[in-house]
Amino acid sequence: MAGKAKFDQEAAFKSIIGAGRESEEESVDLQPAAKGKNKDRVQRAYYLDRDIDKALRRMALEEEKNLTECINKILRNGLSKYL
């Protein structure tokens, strides 16, 4: 068959992710550097008992802080002999 159309891989990719979006590989290099206070932090996931979670949220509301600040405060007090 003469005149068979070639597959345009780039056009297909853009139609899937959207014409204005970048691929993940390109966007990883362009992400801003960590902000000053976050550069010494790590993200972890732990399972907490429901009553502890509820108490942490209540504490955060009463002290008008976010959960991270409250948890760090509690852990620093409890781990003071290890820090």
Side-chain angles (χ1 to χ4, degrees), residues 26-45:
E26 294 171 349
S27 62
V28 169
D29 296 336
L30 300 175
Q31 290 183 358
K35 293 181 183 176
K37 71 176 186 178
N38 290 333
K39 69 179 180 178
D40 292 328
R41 290 188 171 179
V42 293
Q43 184 175 0
R44 300 287 185 252

Side-chain angles (χ1 to χ4, degrees), residues 24-72:
E24 188 174 325
E25 293 172 357
E26 294 171 349
S27 62
V28 169
D29 296 336
L30 300 175
Q31 290 183 358
K35 293 181 183 176
K37 71 176 186 178
N38 290 333
K39 69 179 180 178
D40 292 328
R41 290 188 171 179
V42 293
Q43 184 175 0
R44 300 287 185 252
Y46 299 100
Y47 291 97
L48 300 174
D49 294 337
R50 195 171 301 276
D51 59 335
I52 293 173
D53 179 60
K54 193 173 182 179
L56 285 168
R57 291 179 183 277
R58 187 177 308 132
M59 178 183 173
L61 283 172
E62 288 178 6
E63 294 186 7
E64 296 179 357
K65 295 182 178 179
N66 64 38
L67 279 172
T68 299
E69 292 170 333
C70 290
I71 292 169
N72 278 333

Side-chain angles (χ1 to χ4, degrees), residues 71-83:
I71 292 169
N72 278 333
K73 176 182 172 184
I74 291 168
L75 291 175
R76 284 189 184 283
N77 289 337
L79 297 171
S80 61
K81 76 176 193 177
Y82 300 102
L83 294 173

